[in-house]
Amino acid sequence: MEVTEALNFDHGDRKDIYEYIESHGIVREEDLRRSLNFEPGALGAHLTVLRRDGYVRKVDDKLEVAYQRDDAETHEADDGTEYTIRMAQEVDLDSLVDAIREVAEEGTYIEAETVADVVDHEEVIIRHNDVRSRMFFVATVGDELVGWVHLDLPETTKLSHTAVLTVGVRSEHRGSGIGSALLERGIRWAREHEFEKLYNSVPATNEEAIDFLASHDWETEAVREGHYKIDGEYVDEVMMAVELR
C-alpha cells in the first residue's frame, strides 16, 4: 500500500483494526485482540480481508501496515564512503529521533525539532490515516543512521498537492554529498506521487541550509519577520519552496 493511497474500508471493525495498527507501528496480534476486545475467530477473519486488500501484513507474530517498500539504493560519498538510502523502518525509531535531535539541537532547524518531538511522542515513523500522512527515508553508513529526509503529507484536499520536507545529516557526515542524495530521493518520491510543490522553512540564521536548498533550485517564497525567538533574539523565518511540475 502506498502512503498516498486512499483508505476505503467496507466494515467498521476493519477500519478500527487498521487504525490501531497504524497508530502503533507494529503490534502483536494478541495485544491487538485484547485491546479491541475481539474474539479470536472474528479478528482472524478481519485480518484475512485486510491482508488480502493490502492494508496490513504479518511478520512473525506481529502485525504492521503493509506499506510498499522502496528499493534500497547504494551510493558512494565524495570521500569514498559507501552509504545506503532506504525507506525508514520501525526498528530505526530511536536512531532516527537521535539523528534529528542532534541536528535540531544546533538551534537552527526548528522544523526538524518539531518532527523529532512528534515522532518521539507517537513512537511511529511512517503514518497514513485520514488526517495526515508522513514518509521517511534514511541514510545509513554500515549500521549507523547518519541522515534523513521526511515528507509531511496533508490529507486536506486543498493542500494535497503540496508537502513539507525536512532533511538533515549528522555533522560528521556533511559535505560528502549525502544530504544532496537524500534531498533528491525525497523530491523524486514526491514527484512520482504527483505532488506539485514542496516547502521547507528555516531560521534566517541558518545560512548553510538556505544556501544548500538554493543550490538545488529552491527559492525563497516568503520571509516572516521575527517568527522565531532563539536564545532571546527574534529571528526571521525563511520559507523556501521548489516546484515539481
Side-chain angles (χ1 to χ4, degrees):
M1 181 184 70
E2 292 279 4
V3 177
T4 55
E5 184 176 317
L7 298 171
N8 184 24
F9 301 97
D10 57 4
H11 195 290
D13 286 346
R14 287 196 275 276
K15 184 174 187 291
D16 290 343
I17 292 168
Y18 172 85
E19 289 179 346
Y20 185 91
I21 297 171
E22 189 273 340
S23 66
H24 287 76
I26 187 165
V27 299
R28 295 184 184 278
E29 186 172 336
E30 181 60 19
D31 292 340
L32 168 65
R33 187 188 70 78
R34 291 179 178 176
S35 295
L36 297 184
N37 196 29
F38 277 105
E39 292 295 326
L43 178 60
H46 288 313
L47 288 174
T48 296
V49 175
L50 288 169
R51 289 199 296 268
R52 181 201 68 194
D53 292 346
Y55 284 113
V56 303
R57 59 174 161 248
K58 192 169 184 179
V59 181
D60 298 325
D61 65 336
K62 297 180 180 179
L63 297 160
E64 64 182 15
V65 175
Y67 296 120
Q68 182 173 324
R69 291 171 175 163
D70 288 43
D71 293 336
E73 302 174 352
T74 301
H75 300 262
E76 185 174 307
D78 295 344
D79 61 3
T81 301
E82 187 174 279
Y83 64 95
T84 299
I85 293 179
R86 58 172 173 78
M87 185 174 167
Q89 303 171 13
E90 288 304 313
V91 295
D92 298 317
L93 181 64
D94 290 341
S95 297
L96 175 61
V97 171
D98 286 347
I100 300 175
R101 288 205 186 284
E102 179 181 307
V103 174
E105 285 172 1
E106 296 172 6
T108 56
Y109 205 169
I110 314 303
E111 291 287 339
E113 184 176 345
T114 301
V115 171
D117 288 343
V118 171
V119 174
D120 195 21
H121 173 73
E122 294 178 352
E123 297 185 326
V124 182
I125 295 178
I126 295 174
R127 300 294 307 268
H128 180 37
N129 54 56
D130 291 331
V131 178
R132 185 170 292 274
S133 302
R134 64 174 176 247
M135 170 61 80
F136 273 95
F137 291 93
V138 295
T140 59
V141 175
D143 295 329
E144 181 187 8
L145 192 153
V146 302
W148 84 92
V149 62
H150 152 258
L151 293 124
D152 191 40
L153 317 169
E155 295 296 332
T156 304
T157 302
K158 293 179 180 179
L159 293 174
S160 60
H161 63 295
T162 69
V164 176
L165 178 148
T166 68
V167 60
V169 177
R170 291 181 184 270
S171 57
E172 63 269 27
H173 292 279
R174 293 177 194 161
S176 60
I178 296 177
S180 294
L182 281 165
L183 181 64
E184 190 280 330
R185 187 67 190 92
I187 290 174
R188 175 155 43 97
W189 185 92
R191 185 176 283 116
E192 289 169 352
H193 291 81
E194 300 183 351
F195 287 87
E196 298 174 15
K197 198 171 190 178
L198 297 178
Y199 292 93
N200 193 342
S201 295
V202 296
T205 51
N206 193 344
E207 296 178 0
E208 181 181 0
I210 294 170
D211 290 344
F212 170 74
L213 292 172
S215 70
H216 291 84
D217 299 323
W218 290 59
E219 297 181 352
T220 298
E221 194 162 86
V223 175
R224 292 203 284 185
E225 295 184 3
H227 183 66
Y228 300 119
K229 193 172 184 180
I230 302 173
D231 297 329
E233 298 291 333
Y234 291 99
V235 177
D236 294 347
E237 177 190 38
V238 180
M239 304 173 69
M240 303 190 72
V242 64
E243 296 276 358
L244 304 183
R245 291 175 295 178

